[in-house]
Each structure stands twice: as structure tokens, then as C-alpha cells.
Amino acid sequence: MNISIATVFPDLYRDFLNTSLIKRLQEKEIASYDVVSFSSFCNPKERIDAPAVGHGAGMVIRPEVVERLVDAQDKKWGKSYKIFLTPQGKKLDQTLSEQLAKIFQEQKHVMLLAGRYEGIDQRAHEEYADLEVSIGDYVLMGGDLAAMVLLEAVMRYVPGVVGKDDSVAMDSFSGTFVDFPTYATPAKDWRGHSVPEILTSGNHAALKNHRNDKAAQRSVRGHFGWVKNHCRTKEDKSLVSKHMPHHYLVLMHDNVLVQDGKIGTSSVTTLDIHDIARSCCTYGVKNYFLVTPLVDQHKIVETMLNFWHGAGIDYNRGRAQAVDLVQLSQSLDQVIADIEKKEGKKPLLVATSAKQQGDASQRITFFDQDKVWVHDRPVLLIFGTAKGLSDELINRCDFLLLPIDGFTEFNHLSVRSAAAIILDRWMGINLTEVD
Ligand code: ADE
């Protein structure tokens, strides 16, 4: 395959293409590189770029220059598959890298076009781009480093480039988990850091399990977004749940806002009990606490729970399993004490509110699992009824999840819907690809 690289600064590529594995591709005659400068396709006194149409948008690489470069390279190497490097492109990840490696191997000629200034004229993108690629949500001074990153990510998949094909297949971001920790021989302590004994035990099955476990642990704690998007198998699911802190949920019917901003109690509802229990069961929540100090309310819930602990089991096993998570409680403090007794640690309190309440320092997004989980403590998700949790209760919380919002002004989700959405966002699988 030939790879043409169109750039304003060809010198940037000299060392890059003549070093290590990228160089090896040329030596093995798997790939050849042809770095071409946009300026070589300018007529005397002609500029590569021109001011953008409209006020204040900088300089743009002119389409006529791109046209001449593309025509010349396609004439020399055959019609190319053209990739424009731009921050507006499709985000490069491991999946796209693997797909591109196939395209590179099928095509005789691939062209990478790296813009500078404010980029390449939109009309040239429209005319030529088979694909636009971004290497991340940040803006570089130009597309050259992006072109090099793309080459490094893609070329590893070309057979014969990386020593062991296995090490590509087992890499970070090739499956559910990032790579396991690795150590250089000899396996001796270094500055107080040791190598796990299991790695030198010679027990290959145990070593494999250990590596999988460590990979899962560091992925859950540091790359949960990736895990959520890629966890497919039963084995991986169980490894993930092993490394997630235990989560509990409480629905407050006490210490909530009622009419006229007063703090009071609310009534339990059978729909909230059943539906939130089913959501808790789906997402692996350990217990679903209902807090009300009212004796009559306790009696209502107990009657219902008795049904599900008895005749209800045969009536609907799944529902009975879910309702089994429900635990009645007098107060939030009682819930915290129960969790501490079971877990040996006090839970972190994470509240959710439909309104902007609390302090800015408490607020977290649905992508901030690592901020909470780093504390290695159980997590209690707190939901309010009636008009929401009291400010006093909100202020006690360690974290406050942002309100759920759509692209409308309507803000009246039922608490059971909010609980389902929050559980899904916080700890649900959300695959980015179909099998
Ligand atoms: N050019 C400038 N920034 C870029 C990015 N993030 N990805 C690809 N090309 C770029």
C-alpha cells in the first residue's frame, strides 16, 4: 500500500517515518510513504491559503491547491482513499483503527490530508473526503500530529508489524477492559514496589485470572465509560460488578418538601415500591430502603411485602426477587447505620434532585463515577418524593448528581422514572456497537 501524506510541513514526518515499527513497514515492503507539501502545488507567487469567507475566521487552505495535489498523487499511485484530519471528524478509537487497518490493506493508495491554519476549504472536504477523522476533542495547531497518531494506531493492526499478533488483540480498548499491569524482569522489589507473586508461580491459569482481574479493576475505577460501552459477556459483567463498590438506594418519604416549602412526610406508593425495586435488581443495587416514620405507612408496606415473601413467589418469581431488596426504615440515619453494619464502612451519600440545589462543590455528572468510587466506600443513592429532598438533607450529602434534563422546559419526571434513568446512566451497560 502507498500512503500519501499531504501537509504544509513535510519536515515533521522525516524522523517519524524513519523510526521503529513505522519504518519497519517500509523495510518489509508492506507500505511506502510519499509526503507531499501543499506548497509544491502552488503556482509561483500563489499562496496555499486565503482568508476565510466572512469576517474574522482566519486563513483556509484553498481548494484549487488541494485539487492539484490530489490529482497528482492519484495519477502517481492510483485512486486513493482520502482521510482528512480535522477536529470535526469521526473520533479515532480502537474500533475505528481496526476498521481503517482493513481499509488500508484493501486499498493500493491511501491519502492523509493534514490541514493547518483554520483547516482545509469545506468544498474540498465535500469533494474528496472518504472519511474525516479527529484524534480527540481538542484542537491542535494542525492535522500533522493527528496523521501520525492515526498511522501509529492503525498500522499496529497490519499483520507482521507488532511482534506478537496476540498482543494487539489483548491490548487496552480491544475488549471490555484496559490492559493489565506489566512488570519487567527480574521480579524483584523496586523502591518498595513489588511484583505480584502469582506472576512468577508458573501457574498459567492463575496468572490469566489474575491479569483479567487486575485489568477489570483498573478499568472499572479509571475507565468506567469505556466499560459501560463495551461490556458484553457474562464473565466480564461479573468481573465488573466485583470491582464496583456496593450501591444502595433510598426513597425518602420523610424530610421532604411538601406544600408551601414546608418540610414533612409523604405517602408510599405501590408503583414506586415495585418499579424502583425492579430497577434496583436490574442494576445490581444491594438494598432499596423506604424511609417513613409513619406507623400506618409501615403497615401498608409490610402487608405488601408479606404477599411477595409468600404467595407472590409463585405468582411472579421475578417480581418477588426484586421486592426482596426492599427494606423499611424509620430514618435516613437508620439506613446509614444498617449499611455501615453490613459493609464495615459508612456509605457516601449521593443525592439526586430535579432542581439546582446544594453547593457547586458537591455537584457531579453522570460521568464522574471515579470521583465517588475512589473513596472505596459503599454508595447510597438518595431520592426524594413530594416536592423533593429538603435543603438540610441535600447539604448532608457528599455528592449531588446533576438534574436529569431533556431539550424541553418540562421538569416533572416521576421518581421511579428518574431512578431508572439515573441507575442506567450511573451503572448501566450502553453498548456503542451491535455484534
Ligand atoms: N487538527 C487539529 N486538531 C485536530 C484533532 N483533534 N484531530 C484531528 N485533526 C486535528
Side-chain angles (χ1 to χ4, degrees):
M1 80 187 83
N2 180 261
I3 298 168
S4 292
I5 302 170
T7 173
V8 176
F9 298 126
D11 288 353
L12 284 175
Y13 293 85
R14 209 176 27 232
D15 287 349
F16 173 73
L17 296 176
N18 283 306
T19 307
S20 189
L21 301 182
I22 294 285
K23 178 183 179 191
R24 192 193 294 176
L25 279 158
Q26 299 181 84
E27 289 169 350
K28 289 189 165 184
E29 294 182 0
I30 297 171
S32 60
Y33 307 109
D34 189 8
V35 181
V36 279
S37 165
F38 284 110
S39 63
S40 312
F41 297 89
C42 289
N43 295 321
K45 295 204 177 150
E46 195 187 23
R47 284 185 62 96
I48 297 174
D49 57 344
V53 178
H55 180 67
M59 303 296 280
V60 181
I61 297 181
R62 297 170 46 240
E64 295 82 2
V65 178
V66 180
E67 180 183 13
R68 279 177 230 137
L69 182 149
V70 163
D71 286 350
Q73 289 306 104
D74 278 3
K75 199 163 164 211
K76 187 168 169 190
W77 298 104
K79 190 170 163 40
S80 57
Y81 182 86
K82 297 174 190 60
I83 303 175
F84 282 53
L85 284 309
T86 157
Q88 291 84 41
K90 187 174 162 76
K91 192 95 62 71
L92 185 70
D93 61 10
Q94 204 67 13
T95 309
L96 180 58
S97 303
E98 194 170 358
Q99 286 164 356
L100 283 176
K102 290 205 182 89
I103 291 175
F104 274 46
Q105 287 170 87
E106 284 158 14
Q107 303 280 332
K108 263 176 56 195
H109 183 201
V110 173
M111 194 181 301
L112 304 180
L113 296 100
R116 281 272 150 181
Y117 321 119
E118 289 303 316
I120 296 175
D121 186 282
Q122 177 60 24
R123 290 163 291 189
H125 278 254
E126 288 167 16
E127 177 65 17
Y128 298 121
D130 293 300
L131 184 69
E132 295 173 336
V133 172
S134 160
I135 60 161
D137 293 337
Y138 43 84
V139 181
L140 303 167
M141 292 181 191
D144 296 293
L145 284 179
M148 294 182 210
V149 168
L150 185 145
L151 282 176
E152 289 243 345
V154 171
M155 290 314 205
R156 300 178 72 249
Y157 280 105
V158 175
V161 176
V162 173
K164 283 187 178 167
D165 287 347
D166 237 21
S167 67
V168 177
M170 304 276 290
D171 264 340
S172 293
F173 309 119
S174 291
T176 310
F177 306 128
V178 296
D179 218 349
F180 48 78
T182 48
Y183 306 84
T185 47
K188 60 175 185 164
D189 284 7
W190 178 80
R191 289 178 163 244
H193 304 272
S194 56
V195 176
E197 264 173 39
I198 191 110
L199 298 183
T200 50
S201 68
N203 180 340
H204 290 290
L207 179 124
K208 197 164 169 240
N209 282 340
H210 170 85
R211 283 184 167 160
N212 247 348
D213 195 62
K214 287 290 162 202
Q217 184 182 37
R218 48 155 65 164
S219 310
V220 169
R221 294 304 168 100
H223 297 274
F224 193 62
W226 175 270
V227 171
K228 277 164 72 70
N229 292 163
H230 296 88
C231 186
R232 290 185 146 75
T233 66
K234 214 169 141 189
E235 294 75 33
D236 286 355
K237 273 186 178 185
S238 99
L239 270 176
V240 172
S241 61
K242 175 180 166 196
H243 290 292
M244 266 160 81
H246 290 169
H247 282 70
Y248 295 82
L249 186 149
V250 59
L251 184 61
M252 295 297 297
H253 288 284
D254 186 25
N255 215 340
V256 288
L257 297 170
V258 289
Q259 294 304 325
D260 305 324
K262 292 201 179 82
I263 296 173
T265 57
S266 61
S267 302
V268 299
T269 77
T270 151
L271 275 177
D272 286 341
I273 299 174
H274 287 91
D275 288 0
I276 294 177
R278 291 161 78 176
S279 297
C280 285
C281 218
T282 306
Y283 295 97
V285 171
K286 299 293 168 201
N287 280 122
Y288 164 27
F289 295 94
L290 283 174
V291 167
T292 170
L294 305 179
V295 177
D296 284 352
Q297 296 283 302
H298 273 245
K299 280 193 191 137
I300 294 170
V301 179
E302 273 156 8
T303 309
M304 200 202 77
L305 295 182
N306 284 340
F307 169 75
W308 286 112
H309 294 151
I313 297 176
D314 290 330
Y315 172 68
N316 186 332
R317 235 161 235 288
R319 191 86 57 87
Q321 181 192 347
V323 175
D324 218 24
L325 298 178
V326 177
Q327 213 169 298
L328 260 171
S329 197
Q330 299 284 343
S331 68
L332 182 62
D333 286 322
Q334 184 59 55
V335 170
I336 293 170
D338 282 354
I339 297 173
E340 187 178 6
K341 192 162 167 220
K342 203 161 141 186
E343 300 276 348
K345 285 178 187 173
K346 267 200 168 53
L348 286 162
L349 306 185
V350 181
T352 64
S353 166
K355 304 185 278 264
Q356 284 281 5
Q357 283 176 283
D359 187 80
S361 67
Q362 290 172 293
R363 266 173 231 143
I364 53 169
T365 72
F366 291 95
F367 303 95
D368 283 333
Q369 287 83 351
D370 54 341
K371 285 190 189 160
V372 180
W373 296 356
V374 71
H375 297 281
D376 257 320
R377 280 166 57 187
V379 178
L380 177 60
L381 298 168
I382 307 177
F383 289 84
T385 53
K387 295 186 183 301
L389 298 167
S390 72
D391 284 334
E392 179 237 315
L393 201 157
I394 291 274
N395 292 338
R396 272 186 73 180
C397 291
D398 301 289
F399 298 102
L400 200 51
L401 278 163
L402 290 182
I404 299 167
D405 211 356
F407 294 99
T408 71
E409 296 305 314
F410 191 82
N411 185 15
H412 296 284
L413 275 174
S414 67
V415 70
R416 59 188 172 278
S417 300
I421 293 169
I422 286 171
L423 286 173
D424 188 65
R425 286 191 187 172
W426 189 250
M427 48 209 284
I429 294 175
N430 188 6
L431 297 181
T432 49
E433 277 166 57
V434 289
D435 285 321

